[in-house]
Amino acid sequence: MTGLSPSGDIKPLLDDESQRPRVITPFPSPKLTDLSMFQGEHKESSYWGTYRPQVYFGVRARTPKSLVAGLMWLVMKDGKPVMRHFCENSNDLKSFGWKEHNGRDFGRQELFEQDMVLETSFVKSEEGSLGYGGDWSIRINVQNMLNDDEVKRSTHLFFYLADEGCNGVNLGKDVLRLKESSVLASGSRQDVGNWQMHLKSQNHLETHYCGFKTPDIVNLSGLVQQNLTAQEEKSGLLQLSDSSEDSSNIYVFQISTTNQSTIDIAFVSGIKEETSNMENRIMSLTGLPLSSLLEEKHIAFNAKFNECFNLSDKLDPEILVVGKAAIGNMLGGIGYFYGQSKIHFPKSPLAKSEDDFLLYWPAELYTAVPSRPRFPRGFLWDEGFHQLLIWRWDVHITLEIVGNWLDLMNIDGWIPREQVLGAEALSKIPKQYVVQFPSNGNPPTLLLVIRDLINGIRTEKFNEADRDKILSFLDRAFVRLDAWFKWFNTSQIGKEKGSYYWHGRDNITNRELNPQSLSSGLDDYPRASHPNEDERHVDLRCWMYLAADCMNSIQEFMGKNDILVTEDYSSIAKLLSDFTLLNQMHYDKDHGAYLDFGNHTEEVRLVWKEVIHEDGHLSRELVRETYGKPELRLVPHIGYVSFFPFMFRIIPADSSILDKQLDLISNGNIVWSDYGLLSLAKTSSLYMKYNSEHQAPYWRGAIWMNMNYMILSSLHHYSTVDGPYNSKARTIYEELRSNLIRNVVRNYDQTGIIWEHYDQTKGTGEGARVFTGWSALILLIMSEEYPLF
């Protein structure tokens, strides 16, 4: 089979060697995650972790069929018991999040319930451990918030263990008669050998249990509630049945208390029959030794925070709390996923089908996530922003995560932009977003990180060992980065030399006011009203400049000039930084702004109409109507896209256009506010307009941290270089930075949450809760750490 490539060349749809479609054929080069730096001691030390960001608290190993632990608890809602398990994006739970996390072996989280506070801590210990990955412990502190004169109510916690490989789990002998210490469960696995889970508490606890044999962990809370309901109908008591199915691979332990309680749960593995120090191992992971270990990790976290971000002398204590929550939640949100992506692949040219997809190869992904309750999965363009923060904390984590993403590249150099791997990830995403389209890209933000690392080596920010690891990584990554660039430079190229446009916009829709550009990452940001191949997107042109310039830097820095590469990066970077050509293609003198180009009319509306469906029934729906004839022109919408040449510092420091950009940024009638820069100008015809009946405005006014960070970064740059406008840039920089910090801290003080975006008129947090994610870039704004170009 053959097809036309985006460049017009004949391209086989099947990989000759395997006769499988190219779109699901892995890129043929050694995997980055196979590098020695990610093996041996490193691999074992990072084996266990809080790698389940989608649940309120969970532990797993970085292996496809892991032993999994988690915590649930009961709350009353409308007079009925409801189980908390998977993170929800609602205000039922006042707030939750990691106050501290080091990304490796320690984290402390607080969850504020209506009438109690839960504190969950996780810590690993290699001392005395014999099993692969070491021993680890969980501490659960329960603080009842009811007043003393109120009736005490029981708190019902449900701690569970599940073997994803369906290996049998053995129930402990004394789980119903817990005193100070008891074995909850035990078992044996190939990876860690014989293991035991112990519970220890000085408080009075009532315990019950139930066991299930099922591979389905996603619906575990439902199974537990069914068990509770059945028991309540029998006995009138809200307690588990104290029974289990044969060969259960999941055990759930109900732990009930009415007091302020501290519960320690310790996992030990590699147990030998002749082991005589078992009691010592358990004691070192519970009680006072655990308290000492957690305090030691807490002190180390604070010391490293000060070392990495140097904020202690700069900012007020309440600001530092937000900074620590930003990095803690970012690191605590790192997850491990395993599964197969669904890739769009039409089975027939005549009709669409729900089965028009192929499965990618089975793959694992170690990655940060944007938001635990709303987006607990990997997003390609988000990850570059995540790593701008993470590498400053732990460059080894960054290298491994970037390597995981680049290993997902197919033979054509394409990486699926959204990773939905495994049943738990699949359970948290609307069906329409699961299938990935191989024609669609996502901004190559990973190159922002790679450029940062190269500049970090040049400025001697790394010790010799870390420097060597980065160089080794780049040496192997280069061929994949080269293929990735080529994919963009062929599949997203425009008609004019030096032009690009995001593919994937719907050119036949009659339901969207302005067809979305999901691949750009800016979703409903206004583009040309009538998508076609004449479009030119200024943001993608600038991303391509960054990519070409970064690749050229790697090539020069690594001495890669003697190997075969597919592109002349120096020439491409020179073309895309050509200021005259950029202005010819995208600059509008009347607005003093950079704009997209395409087939556009402003005369488009959503109107209510009666629609006749195929089955004959009528419905009243919002339908797009065009009243004016579209024409090829610059698209008159000022917003984040307009500032990409400014963000990527293509504008010369002495250009009068820079002065006009500074005027646009600081104009309170356009994008400036007391809380940050708006995503779309107040003067735009689509400012805060719904895109369809059910698509609320998203990038049409709201304040987003990633774009504010990029603009702030360039304000800082232009304030430090020689030129007639550096003083003006400095003034705007200082005010914008102050506005962003003040608003995020104010919202955090009020809600305990860092938000996805912030309201354009009031500055209140909106969208996904616990979005730490790129909103955590507020920490780099506090510390004034910006990427270099």
PDB file of all heavy atoms in Angstrom, residues 276-305:
ATOM      1  N   SER A 276      15.924 -13.319  60.324  1.00  0.00           N
ATOM      2  CA  SER A 276      15.709 -13.147  61.756  1.00  0.00           C
ATOM      3  C   SER A 276      15.452 -11.696  62.139  1.00  0.00           C
ATOM      4  O   SER A 276      15.092 -11.418  63.286  1.00  0.00           O
ATOM      5  CB  SER A 276      16.935 -13.658  62.532  1.00  0.00           C
ATOM      6  OG  SER A 276      18.096 -12.940  62.133  1.00  0.00           O
ATOM      7  N   ASN A 277      15.654 -10.785  61.196  1.00  0.00           N
ATOM      8  CA  ASN A 277      15.522  -9.370  61.550  1.00  0.00           C
ATOM      9  C   ASN A 277      14.205  -8.772  61.079  1.00  0.00           C
ATOM     10  O   ASN A 277      14.090  -7.558  60.922  1.00  0.00           O
ATOM     11  CB  ASN A 277      16.687  -8.573  60.961  1.00  0.00           C
ATOM     12  CG  ASN A 277      16.639  -8.538  59.439  1.00  0.00           C
ATOM     13  OD1 ASN A 277      16.003  -9.386  58.821  1.00  0.00           O
ATOM     14  ND2 ASN A 277      17.314  -7.548  58.851  1.00  0.00           N
ATOM     15  N   MET A 278      13.182  -9.609  60.843  1.00  0.00           N
ATOM     16  CA  MET A 278      11.908  -9.114  60.336  1.00  0.00           C
ATOM     17  C   MET A 278      11.305  -8.066  61.264  1.00  0.00           C
ATOM     18  O   MET A 278      10.840  -7.010  60.822  1.00  0.00           O
ATOM     19  CB  MET A 278      10.927 -10.267  60.133  1.00  0.00           C
ATOM     20  CG  MET A 278       9.543  -9.826  59.655  1.00  0.00           C
ATOM     21  SD  MET A 278       9.611  -8.969  58.071  1.00  0.00           S
ATOM     22  CE  MET A 278      10.070 -10.323  57.019  1.00  0.00           C
ATOM     23  N   GLU A 279      11.318  -8.352  62.555  1.00  0.00           N
ATOM     24  CA  GLU A 279      10.728  -7.414  63.505  1.00  0.00           C
ATOM     25  C   GLU A 279      11.459  -6.078  63.476  1.00  0.00           C
ATOM     26  O   GLU A 279      10.848  -5.002  63.561  1.00  0.00           O
ATOM     27  CB  GLU A 279      10.753  -7.995  64.917  1.00  0.00           C
ATOM     28  CG  GLU A 279      10.006  -7.152  65.941  1.00  0.00           C
ATOM     29  CD  GLU A 279       8.527  -6.977  65.601  1.00  0.00           C
ATOM     30  OE1 GLU A 279       7.945  -7.883  64.976  1.00  0.00           O
ATOM     31  OE2 GLU A 279       7.967  -5.912  65.951  1.00  0.00           O
ATOM     32  N   ASN A 280      12.783  -6.112  63.321  1.00  0.00           N
ATOM     33  CA  ASN A 280      13.560  -4.875  63.240  1.00  0.00           C
ATOM     34  C   ASN A 280      13.194  -4.075  61.987  1.00  0.00           C
ATOM     35  O   ASN A 280      13.122  -2.843  62.020  1.00  0.00           O
ATOM     36  CB  ASN A 280      15.057  -5.178  63.228  1.00  0.00           C
ATOM     37  CG  ASN A 280      15.552  -5.692  64.563  1.00  0.00           C
ATOM     38  OD1 ASN A 280      14.955  -5.413  65.598  1.00  0.00           O
ATOM     39  ND2 ASN A 280      16.649  -6.454  64.539  1.00  0.00           N
ATOM     40  N   ARG A 281      12.979  -4.777  60.889  1.00  0.00           N
ATOM     41  CA  ARG A 281      12.593  -4.101  59.648  1.00  0.00           C
ATOM     42  C   ARG A 281      11.242  -3.408  59.816  1.00  0.00           C
ATOM     43  O   ARG A 281      11.052  -2.268  59.365  1.00  0.00           O
ATOM     44  CB  ARG A 281      12.554  -5.093  58.480  1.00  0.00           C
ATOM     45  CG  ARG A 281      13.927  -5.574  58.053  1.00  0.00           C
ATOM     46  CD  ARG A 281      13.838  -6.694  57.018  1.00  0.00           C
ATOM     47  NE  ARG A 281      13.323  -6.226  55.727  1.00  0.00           N
ATOM     48  CZ  ARG A 281      13.116  -7.034  54.688  1.00  0.00           C
ATOM     49  NH1 ARG A 281      13.390  -8.336  54.789  1.00  0.00           N
ATOM     50  NH2 ARG A 281      12.664  -6.551  53.552  1.00  0.00           N
ATOM     51  N   ILE A 282      10.292  -4.098  60.449  1.00  0.00           N
ATOM     52  CA  ILE A 282       8.968  -3.515  60.656  1.00  0.00           C
ATOM     53  C   ILE A 282       9.065  -2.318  61.601  1.00  0.00           C
ATOM     54  O   ILE A 282       8.468  -1.260  61.362  1.00  0.00           O
ATOM     55  CB  ILE A 282       7.985  -4.566  61.214  1.00  0.00           C
ATOM     56  CG1 ILE A 282       7.875  -5.758  60.262  1.00  0.00           C
ATOM     57  CG2 ILE A 282       6.618  -3.931  61.456  1.00  0.00           C
ATOM     58  CD1 ILE A 282       7.452  -5.396  58.869  1.00  0.00           C
ATOM     59  N   MET A 283       9.830  -2.472  62.668  1.00  0.00           N
ATOM     60  CA  MET A 283       9.966  -1.386  63.638  1.00  0.00           C
ATOM     61  C   MET A 283      10.600  -0.150  63.012  1.00  0.00           C
ATOM     62  O   MET A 283      10.229   0.982  63.330  1.00  0.00           O
ATOM     63  CB  MET A 283      10.803  -1.856  64.836  1.00  0.00           C
ATOM     64  CG  MET A 283      10.073  -2.817  65.771  1.00  0.00           C
ATOM     65  SD  MET A 283      11.110  -3.313  67.170  1.00  0.00           S
ATOM     66  CE  MET A 283      11.356  -1.729  67.982  1.00  0.00           C
ATOM     67  N   SER A 284      11.541  -0.342  62.099  1.00  0.00           N
ATOM     68  CA  SER A 284      12.216   0.804  61.475  1.00  0.00           C
ATOM     69  C   SER A 284      11.304   1.567  60.525  1.00  0.00           C
ATOM     70  O   SER A 284      11.608   2.704  60.144  1.00  0.00           O
ATOM     71  CB  SER A 284      13.463   0.329  60.725  1.00  0.00           C
ATOM     72  OG  SER A 284      13.111  -0.412  59.564  1.00  0.00           O
ATOM     73  N   LEU A 285      10.184   0.950  60.154  1.00  0.00           N
ATOM     74  CA  LEU A 285       9.259   1.567  59.188  1.00  0.00           C
ATOM     75  C   LEU A 285       7.967   2.030  59.834  1.00  0.00           C
ATOM     76  O   LEU A 285       7.029   2.439  59.130  1.00  0.00           O
ATOM     77  CB  LEU A 285       8.937   0.573  58.067  1.00  0.00           C
ATOM     78  CG  LEU A 285      10.083   0.238  57.107  1.00  0.00           C
ATOM     79  CD1 LEU A 285       9.734  -0.982  56.270  1.00  0.00           C
ATOM     80  CD2 LEU A 285      10.386   1.421  56.208  1.00  0.00           C
ATOM     81  N   THR A 286       7.863   1.959  61.153  1.00  0.00           N
ATOM     82  CA  THR A 286       6.647   2.343  61.858  1.00  0.00           C
ATOM     83  C   THR A 286       7.011   3.084  63.137  1.00  0.00           C
ATOM     84  O   THR A 286       8.176   3.134  63.546  1.00  0.00           O
ATOM     85  CB  THR A 286       5.795   1.098  62.214  1.00  0.00           C
ATOM     86  OG1 THR A 286       6.605   0.199  62.992  1.00  0.00           O
ATOM     87  CG2 THR A 286       5.307   0.382  60.969  1.00  0.00           C
ATOM     88  N   GLY A 287       5.998   3.677  63.779  1.00  0.00           N
ATOM     89  CA  GLY A 287       6.187   4.289  65.078  1.00  0.00           C
ATOM     90  C   GLY A 287       7.206   5.417  65.088  1.00  0.00           C
ATOM     91  O   GLY A 287       7.337   6.191  64.134  1.00  0.00           O
ATOM     92  N   LEU A 288       7.976   5.520  66.157  1.00  0.00           N
ATOM     93  CA  LEU A 288       8.934   6.606  66.321  1.00  0.00           C
ATOM     94  C   LEU A 288      10.036   6.612  65.257  1.00  0.00           C
ATOM     95  O   LEU A 288      10.419   7.690  64.762  1.00  0.00           O
ATOM     96  CB  LEU A 288       9.554   6.552  67.722  1.00  0.00           C
ATOM     97  CG  LEU A 288       8.611   6.931  68.879  1.00  0.00           C
ATOM     98  CD1 LEU A 288       9.324   6.751  70.213  1.00  0.00           C
ATOM     99  CD2 LEU A 288       8.127   8.370  68.726  1.00  0.00           C
ATOM    100  N   PRO A 289      10.572   5.436  64.865  1.00  0.00           N
ATOM    101  CA  PRO A 289      11.574   5.463  63.780  1.00  0.00           C
ATOM    102  C   PRO A 289      11.017   6.038  62.479  1.00  0.00           C
ATOM    103  O   PRO A 289      11.729   6.752  61.767  1.00  0.00           O
ATOM    104  CB  PRO A 289      11.959   3.987  63.633  1.00  0.00           C
ATOM    105  CG  PRO A 289      11.702   3.396  64.977  1.00  0.00           C
ATOM    106  CD  PRO A 289      10.480   4.095  65.479  1.00  0.00           C
ATOM    107  N   LEU A 290       9.752   5.731  62.182  1.00  0.00           N
ATOM    108  CA  LEU A 290       9.143   6.306  60.982  1.00  0.00           C
ATOM    109  C   LEU A 290       8.984   7.817  61.145  1.00  0.00           C
ATOM    110  O   LEU A 290       9.234   8.574  60.201  1.00  0.00           O
ATOM    111  CB  LEU A 290       7.790   5.655  60.700  1.00  0.00           C
ATOM    112  CG  LEU A 290       7.009   6.225  59.506  1.00  0.00           C
ATOM    113  CD1 LEU A 290       7.825   6.130  58.218  1.00  0.00           C
ATOM    114  CD2 LEU A 290       5.665   5.502  59.342  1.00  0.00           C
ATOM    115  N   SER A 291       8.588   8.262  62.323  1.00  0.00           N
ATOM    116  CA  SER A 291       8.480   9.706  62.572  1.00  0.00           C
ATOM    117  C   SER A 291       9.819  10.394  62.332  1.00  0.00           C
ATOM    118  O   SER A 291       9.885  11.464  61.707  1.00  0.00           O
ATOM    119  CB  SER A 291       8.023   9.964  64.012  1.00  0.00           C
ATOM    120  OG  SER A 291       6.732   9.426  64.243  1.00  0.00           O
ATOM    121  N   SER A 292      10.898   9.782  62.812  1.00  0.00           N
ATOM    122  CA  SER A 292      12.230  10.354  62.622  1.00  0.00           C
ATOM    123  C   SER A 292      12.618  10.385  61.150  1.00  0.00           C
ATOM    124  O   SER A 292      13.191  11.373  60.663  1.00  0.00           O
ATOM    125  CB  SER A 292      13.268   9.547  63.419  1.00  0.00           C
ATOM    126  OG  SER A 292      13.002   9.601  64.798  1.00  0.00           O
ATOM    127  N   LEU A 293      12.300   9.311  60.435  1.00  0.00           N
ATOM    128  CA  LEU A 293      12.631   9.242  59.011  1.00  0.00           C
ATOM    129  C   LEU A 293      11.868  10.302  58.230  1.00  0.00           C
ATOM    130  O   LEU A 293      12.431  10.982  57.353  1.00  0.00           O
ATOM    131  CB  LEU A 293      12.327   7.843  58.471  1.00  0.00           C
ATOM    132  CG  LEU A 293      12.651   7.585  56.998  1.00  0.00           C
ATOM    133  CD1 LEU A 293      14.119   7.858  56.692  1.00  0.00           C
ATOM    134  CD2 LEU A 293      12.275   6.151  56.613  1.00  0.00           C
ATOM    135  N   LEU A 294      10.583  10.473  58.525  1.00  0.00           N
ATOM    136  CA  LEU A 294       9.774  11.483  57.830  1.00  0.00           C
ATOM    137  C   LEU A 294      10.281  12.887  58.144  1.00  0.00           C
ATOM    138  O   LEU A 294      10.315  13.753  57.264  1.00  0.00           O
ATOM    139  CB  LEU A 294       8.299  11.338  58.234  1.00  0.00           C
ATOM    140  CG  LEU A 294       7.585  10.099  57.711  1.00  0.00           C
ATOM    141  CD1 LEU A 294       6.198   9.965  58.339  1.00  0.00           C
ATOM    142  CD2 LEU A 294       7.458  10.131  56.186  1.00  0.00           C
ATOM    143  N   GLU A 295      10.686  13.132  59.382  1.00  0.00           N
ATOM    144  CA  GLU A 295      11.219  14.439  59.744  1.00  0.00           C
ATOM    145  C   GLU A 295      12.527  14.697  59.001  1.00  0.00           C
ATOM    146  O   GLU A 295      12.792  15.820  58.527  1.00  0.00           O
ATOM    147  CB  GLU A 295      11.431  14.515  61.257  1.00  0.00           C
ATOM    148  CG  GLU A 295      12.030  15.825  61.746  1.00  0.00           C
ATOM    149  CD  GLU A 295      11.153  17.042  61.504  1.00  0.00           C
ATOM    150  OE1 GLU A 295       9.937  16.868  61.231  1.00  0.00           O
ATOM    151  OE2 GLU A 295      11.683  18.179  61.570  1.00  0.00           O
ATOM    152  N   GLU A 296      13.351  13.670  58.895  1.00  0.00           N
ATOM    153  CA  GLU A 296      14.613  13.783  58.169  1.00  0.00           C
ATOM    154  C   GLU A 296      14.371  14.144  56.705  1.00  0.00           C
ATOM    155  O   GLU A 296      15.044  15.009  56.130  1.00  0.00           O
ATOM    156  CB  GLU A 296      15.360  12.454  58.281  1.00  0.00           C
ATOM    157  CG  GLU A 296      16.661  12.358  57.528  1.00  0.00           C
ATOM    158  CD  GLU A 296      17.230  10.950  57.574  1.00  0.00           C
ATOM    159  OE1 GLU A 296      17.239  10.360  58.677  1.00  0.00           O
ATOM    160  OE2 GLU A 296      17.654  10.437  56.520  1.00  0.00           O
ATOM    161  N   LYS A 297      13.376  13.497  56.087  1.00  0.00           N
ATOM    162  CA  LYS A 297      13.053  13.775  54.679  1.00  0.00           C
ATOM    163  C   LYS A 297      12.457  15.176  54.528  1.00  0.00           C
ATOM    164  O   LYS A 297      12.704  15.864  53.529  1.00  0.00           O
ATOM    165  CB  LYS A 297      12.075  12.723  54.151  1.00  0.00           C
ATOM    166  CG  LYS A 297      12.648  11.312  54.088  1.00  0.00           C
ATOM    167  CD  LYS A 297      13.752  11.198  53.058  1.00  0.00           C
ATOM    168  CE  LYS A 297      14.243   9.760  52.924  1.00  0.00           C
ATOM    169  NZ  LYS A 297      15.353   9.648  51.948  1.00  0.00           N
ATOM    170  N   HIS A 298      11.656  15.592  55.515  1.00  0.00           N
ATOM    171  CA  HIS A 298      11.065  16.934  55.491  1.00  0.00           C
ATOM    172  C   HIS A 298      12.158  18.009  55.522  1.00  0.00           C
ATOM    173  O   HIS A 298      12.127  18.970  54.744  1.00  0.00           O
ATOM    174  CB  HIS A 298      10.127  17.083  56.696  1.00  0.00           C
ATOM    175  CG  HIS A 298       9.809  18.486  57.071  1.00  0.00           C
ATOM    176  ND1 HIS A 298       8.983  19.297  56.319  1.00  0.00           N
ATOM    177  CD2 HIS A 298      10.225  19.254  58.121  1.00  0.00           C
ATOM    178  CE1 HIS A 298       8.896  20.496  56.889  1.00  0.00           C
ATOM    179  NE2 HIS A 298       9.639  20.492  57.980  1.00  0.00           N
ATOM    180  N   ILE A 299      13.127  17.827  56.385  1.00  0.00           N
ATOM    181  CA  ILE A 299      14.237  18.786  56.482  1.00  0.00           C
ATOM    182  C   ILE A 299      15.039  18.808  55.180  1.00  0.00           C
ATOM    183  O   ILE A 299      15.413  19.884  54.675  1.00  0.00           O
ATOM    184  CB  ILE A 299      15.138  18.417  57.680  1.00  0.00           C
ATOM    185  CG1 ILE A 299      14.380  18.644  58.994  1.00  0.00           C
ATOM    186  CG2 ILE A 299      16.430  19.231  57.657  1.00  0.00           C
ATOM    187  CD1 ILE A 299      15.107  18.110  60.213  1.00  0.00           C
ATOM    188  N   ALA A 300      15.274  17.626  54.624  1.00  0.00           N
ATOM    189  CA  ALA A 300      16.028  17.547  53.369  1.00  0.00           C
ATOM    190  C   ALA A 300      15.269  18.211  52.225  1.00  0.00           C
ATOM    191  O   ALA A 300      15.872  18.872  51.360  1.00  0.00           O
ATOM    192  CB  ALA A 300      16.325  16.089  53.032  1.00  0.00           C
ATOM    193  N   PHE A 301      13.934  18.065  52.203  1.00  0.00           N
ATOM    194  CA  PHE A 301      13.121  18.701  51.161  1.00  0.00           C
ATOM    195  C   PHE A 301      13.267  20.221  51.237  1.00  0.00           C
ATOM    196  O   PHE A 301      13.484  20.898  50.221  1.00  0.00           O
ATOM    197  CB  PHE A 301      11.652  18.297  51.309  1.00  0.00           C
ATOM    198  CG  PHE A 301      10.721  19.036  50.386  1.00  0.00           C
ATOM    199  CD1 PHE A 301      10.508  18.605  49.093  1.00  0.00           C
ATOM    200  CD2 PHE A 301      10.068  20.192  50.819  1.00  0.00           C
ATOM    201  CE1 PHE A 301       9.664  19.305  48.235  1.00  0.00           C
ATOM    202  CE2 PHE A 301       9.216  20.895  49.973  1.00  0.00           C
ATOM    203  CZ  PHE A 301       9.013  20.447  48.681  1.00  0.00           C
ATOM    204  N   ASN A 302      13.134  20.769  52.442  1.00  0.00           N
ATOM    205  CA  ASN A 302      13.252  22.221  52.602  1.00  0.00           C
ATOM    206  C   ASN A 302      14.635  22.723  52.200  1.00  0.00           C
ATOM    207  O   ASN A 302      14.771  23.776  51.561  1.00  0.00           O
ATOM    208  CB  ASN A 302      12.955  22.612  54.049  1.00  0.00           C
ATOM    209  CG  ASN A 302      11.472  22.583  54.353  1.00  0.00           C
ATOM    210  OD1 ASN A 302      10.651  22.745  53.461  1.00  0.00           O
ATOM    211  ND2 ASN A 302      11.127  22.365  55.613  1.00  0.00           N
ATOM    212  N   ALA A 303      15.656  21.970  52.565  1.00  0.00           N
ATOM    213  CA  ALA A 303      17.023  22.373  52.214  1.00  0.00           C
ATOM    214  C   ALA A 303      17.223  22.367  50.701  1.00  0.00           C
ATOM    215  O   ALA A 303      17.821  23.291  50.133  1.00  0.00           O
ATOM    216  CB  ALA A 303      18.029  21.442  52.891  1.00  0.00           C
ATOM    217  N   LYS A 304      16.710  21.334  50.049  1.00  0.00           N
ATOM    218  CA  LYS A 304      16.871  21.260  48.594  1.00  0.00           C
ATOM    219  C   LYS A 304      16.047  22.340  47.906  1.00  0.00           C
ATOM    220  O   LYS A 304      16.470  22.918  46.893  1.00  0.00           O
ATOM    221  CB  LYS A 304      16.483  19.876  48.079  1.00  0.00           C
ATOM    222  CG  LYS A 304      16.724  19.725  46.585  1.00  0.00           C
ATOM    223  CD  LYS A 304      16.695  18.277  46.125  1.00  0.00           C
ATOM    224  CE  LYS A 304      17.069  18.192  44.658  1.00  0.00           C
ATOM    225  NZ  LYS A 304      17.150  16.798  44.169  1.00  0.00           N
ATOM    226  N   PHE A 305      14.856  22.623  48.434  1.00  0.00           N
ATOM    227  CA  PHE A 305      14.020  23.688  47.872  1.00  0.00           C
ATOM    228  C   PHE A 305      14.776  25.014  47.897  1.00  0.00           C
ATOM    229  O   PHE A 305      14.812  25.751  46.905  1.00  0.00           O
ATOM    230  CB  PHE A 305      12.719  23.790  48.660  1.00  0.00           C
ATOM    231  CG  PHE A 305      11.784  24.858  48.165  1.00  0.00           C
ATOM    232  CD1 PHE A 305      10.923  24.615  47.110  1.00  0.00           C
ATOM    233  CD2 PHE A 305      11.784  26.122  48.745  1.00  0.00           C
ATOM    234  CE1 PHE A 305      10.060  25.599  46.639  1.00  0.00           C
ATOM    235  CE2 PHE A 305      10.934  27.111  48.286  1.00  0.00           C
ATOM    236  CZ  PHE A 305      10.073  26.847  47.232  1.00  0.00           C
TER     237      PHE A 305
END
